[in-house]
Amino acid sequence: MTDRKATLSVGDKSIELPVYSGTVGPDVIDVRGLVQEGVFTYDPGFVSTAACESAITYIDGAKGVLLHRGYPIDQLAEQSDYLEVCYLLLNGELPTPEENKRFHDTIKNHTMLHDQMRNFFHGFRRDAHPMAIMCGVVGALSAFYHDQMDTSDPRQREITAHRLIAKMPTIAAWCYKYSIGQPFMYPRNDLDYAENFLHMMFGVPCEDYKPSPTLAKAMDKIFLLHADHEQNASTSTVRLAGSTGANPYACIASGIAALWGPAHGGANEAVLDMLAEIGDEKNIEKFIAKAKDKDDPFRLMGFGHRVYKNFDPRAKVMRETAHEVLAELGLEDDPLLKIAQRLEKIALEDDYFVERKLYPNVDFYSGIILKAIGIPTSMFTVIFALSRTIGWFSHWNEMVSGNYRIGRPRQLYTGEEKRDYPTKK
Ligand code: SDX
C-alpha cells in the first residue's frame, strides 16, 4: 500500500483519500472515511468497486488475461489438471509431485456422502431442477460436520475444503441420477476425478462403465476453466455470507444460489436453449436483431461480460476443446455447433457488439461440449457450481484467515420522508 492521496471536492469541502496500488491492475481509492464526511459512494452493480483485497485470481478485461496465482489460464488448461489447480488456488503455490499425489489421494478418500444424505434427495420431486437439489443438499452438509466448523482453525478449514472438493461430483451426479430415476452410483477410488464423475453420471450397477479418455479430459478441462474468476457475483455472495461468520457449507450454498441466474452461471444452459430456439442458420439475423432491440428482453446468451472487453481467454480454450470432442465423437457437423460458429462470426462483425465489446464468454462453448458428452442442459449449471466450489472456498478461506468485517453496504434513500400515522377518526 502506498501513501498516495486522491482529493475529492464535496461542496466547499476538499476530502483527501488514500490511494493503494496492487501488484498489477487498477489502483484503488480507499473511501471508507467518507461516512465520517456524511457522504456515501454510489455504485449499483459494483462496476467500479473493489470490495476486498485478494491474491487468488487476476483478470485484465481489456487484454483478455486470466491468471490463477499468477499462472495464465491457457497454460494451466494445457499442462495442469483440475485437482492441481484446486491445490494452487487454495494454497497459493503449485504442489510438489509428492504434495500432488497426497492431495489426489486425500480427495479420493472424501468422495462418499453420509448415507443419511440420500434421504434429502428423496424429498424432492423427480422433476426438480438439479440446482434446487444441489443448493439444498450442500447447505445440509453443515448438519453432518458440526464437529469441524471452527472457522478459526486452519486444519478444520482444510478438511472442509477437501470434503467439498471431493463430495461435489458425487452430489452433482446424484442430482442427475435422481432426476432420471436411476440408482445412485458410488464413487470409485480407481478412477481419477473427471472419470469418477462421468462414471457416477452414466454408469449403472448392471455393467462396468469406463469413460473415454477424451471425454474425461474434456470434462476435467471444463472443471478447470470454471474453477475461479475473481469477485464475480457468486463469489462475492460467498464472501458476504462468510463475513457474518456463517459456516462454509452455508456460504457455498449461497454461492450456488447466486450462480443459478441466467445472467451468471445459468448462461451455459441458456446458450443451448437459445441455439435450439434459433434452430437454423437462416434465423440468426432475426435473433441478432432481437438482441439489439432495447424493447426486447432477449440477449445473446454466452456473449458479453462485466470485465472482459476482449475475448474471454476461457472461451478460446473452450472453442478448441469443443472441436476436439465433436471430432472424437464424429459430430463435427453438429447443427448447434454450426449455428454457434455462424452466430459468433456474425456477432463479432456487427457494430452493435463491436462497439459494446461483447465477445463470446466462457459459457458460449461450454454448453456445446457438455451436450456432446451427453450431459442434459439442466445439469450445466450444476457442473459450473461443482467446478467453482474451489474458487468460492478459496476466497472464503482467504477472507476468514485474515482481518475482515461484516459486509454491510449503504444506500441512496429515495423513499418517503418521515410522516405520522393517520390518527383513527
Ligand atoms: C459468467 O463475473 C464473472 O466473472 C462471471 C463469469 C464467472 O466465471 O464467474 O465469467 C461467468 O457469468 C459469464 C457471463 C454469462 N452471462 C451471459 O452470457 C448472459 C448474457 N450476457 C449479459 O447478460 C451481460 O453481458 C452480462 C450480464 C454478462 C454483463 O452485463 P453488464 O456488465 O451489466 O453489461 P450491461 O448489461 O450493462 O451491457 C452493456 C450494453 C447494454 O447495451 P446499452 O445499454 O449500452 O445499449 O451491452 C448490451 C446491453 O444491452 N449487452 C448485450 C449483451 N450483453 C450486454 N446485448 C445483447 N446481448 C448480450 N449478451
Side-chain angles (χ1 to χ4, degrees):
M1 305 265 188
T2 69
D3 57 1
R4 291 177 14 236
K5 300 283 185 199
T7 304
L8 183 65
S9 300
V10 180
D12 56 0
K13 283 180 92 172
S14 183
I15 302 166
E16 286 222 320
L17 298 167
V19 174
Y20 309 133
S21 297
T23 322
V24 63
D27 287 347
V28 297
I29 299 172
D30 184 342
V31 296
R32 285 175 287 188
L34 282 183
V35 67
Q36 274 80 34
E37 306 291 342
V39 289
F40 299 147
T41 58
Y42 183 65
D43 186 12
F46 308 124
V47 177
S48 302
T49 294
C52 64
E53 177 183 332
S54 180
I56 298 171
T57 289
Y58 174 70
I59 301 171
D60 181 328
K63 296 181 184 149
V65 167
L66 169 57
L67 308 178
H68 287 322
R69 300 287 189 179
Y71 295 102
I73 190 67
D74 51 324
Q75 292 181 24
L76 291 171
E78 186 59 37
Q79 302 171 59
S80 184
D81 66 29
Y82 178 69
L83 281 188
E84 187 179 63
V85 170
C86 285
Y87 186 99
L88 172 67
L89 289 169
L90 201 52
N91 299 298
E93 294 297 337
L94 287 168
T96 62
E98 298 71 29
E99 288 166 335
N100 206 21
K101 166 98 175 55
R102 194 161 54 244
F103 186 69
H104 277 69
D105 291 345
T106 301
I107 296 303
K108 279 188 179 181
N109 292 322
H110 282 282
T111 50
M112 287 214 300
L113 300 182
H114 188 294
D115 205 44
Q116 274 179 234
M117 294 211 79
R118 301 159 62 92
N119 302 330
F120 288 113
F121 290 84
H122 290 285
F124 287 94
R125 282 174 39 160
R126 290 284 178 174
D127 61 352
H129 194 291
M131 282 295 279
I133 303 174
M134 176 175 257
C135 219
V137 171
V138 171
L141 284 171
S142 54
F144 286 78
Y145 299 109
H146 29 66
D147 56 329
Q148 297 274 351
M149 299 260 260
D150 176 358
T151 57
S152 65
D153 179 345
R155 177 60 187 142
Q156 291 192 31
R157 295 202 301 268
E158 184 184 38
I159 293 171
T160 303
H162 296 160
R163 280 180 169 141
L164 281 164
I165 296 167
K167 294 181 195 310
M168 286 302 270
T170 310
I171 292 169
W174 286 18
C175 288
Y176 173 60
K177 284 300 196 190
Y178 184 73
S179 71
I180 59 173
Q182 282 191 358
F184 295 143
M185 292 297 286
Y186 282 93
R188 277 177 35 189
N189 291 346
D190 61 325
L191 298 176
D192 72 25
Y193 194 83
E195 284 176 334
N196 212 355
F197 174 65
L198 292 176
H199 150 72
M200 291 188 282
M201 280 287 291
F202 300 121
V204 288
C206 331
E207 57 194 28
D208 280 344
Y209 173 87
K210 179 76 175 142
S212 107
T214 305
L215 299 190
K217 183 167 172 281
M219 193 74 252
D220 191 86
K221 198 165 283 188
I222 289 227
F223 291 153
L224 188 154
L225 291 169
H226 288 82
D228 188 49
H229 211 238
E230 197 215 66
Q231 307 308 324
N232 57 85
S234 52
T235 300
S236 300
T237 302
V238 171
R239 279 182 174 262
L240 193 56
S243 75
T244 71
N247 75 73
Y249 300 105
C251 294
I252 299 299
S254 74
I256 296 170
L259 185 76
W260 197 352
H264 188 15
N268 51 17
E269 180 176 351
V271 166
L272 263 288
D273 295 344
M274 174 188 72
L275 293 175
E277 190 186 359
I278 292 173
D280 187 296
E281 291 184 46
K282 68 178 186 308
N283 299 326
I284 289 177
E285 294 292 349
K286 181 180 77 175
F287 279 87
I288 295 263
K290 280 169 63 68
K292 292 154 66 171
D293 178 357
K294 285 284 153 260
D295 299 325
D296 190 324
F298 175 79
R299 285 197 164 179
L300 224 42
M301 303 315 281
F303 276 79
H305 198 278
R306 172 60 59 77
V307 177
Y308 288 124
K309 301 310 172 192
N310 197 322
F311 253 96
D312 180 334
R314 302 168 296 176
K316 285 183 181 174
V317 179
M318 211 67 93
R319 189 203 288 145
E320 289 157 26
T321 307
H323 283 289
E324 285 163 15
V325 169
L326 292 173
E328 152 93 5
L329 297 171
L331 296 172
E332 302 96 314
D333 296 331
D334 179 275
L336 290 183
L337 179 66
K338 293 283 177 212
I339 294 173
Q341 287 171 317
R342 184 116 178 78
L343 186 62
E344 180 187 21
K345 185 177 182 317
I346 293 174
L348 291 178
E349 291 162 0
D350 185 293
D351 288 346
Y352 174 94
F353 293 89
V354 173
E355 283 159 15
R356 291 167 179 77
K357 301 186 187 310
L358 301 175
Y359 289 87
N361 58 46
V362 67
D363 295 295
F364 188 65
Y365 279 99
S366 60
I368 291 165
I369 299 169
L370 293 170
K371 181 178 181 297
I373 293 175
I375 291 169
T377 48
S378 63
M379 281 291 293
F380 287 7
T381 312
V382 167
I383 287 169
F384 195 152
L386 183 172
S387 314
R388 185 54 58 87
T389 293
I390 184 56
W392 291 330
F393 190 92
S394 300
H395 281 275
W396 173 85
N397 192 49
E398 181 181 60
M399 180 182 73
V400 300
S401 50
N403 295 319
Y404 66 98
R405 302 179 68 189
I406 188 169
R408 206 296 188 192
R410 304 305 301 274
Q411 63 178 10
L412 172 68
Y413 176 69
T414 54
E416 294 287 343
E417 291 196 66
K418 179 179 175 297
R419 54 182 171 164
D420 294 329
Y421 188 86
T423 48
K424 292 229 182 335
K425 293 189 178 38

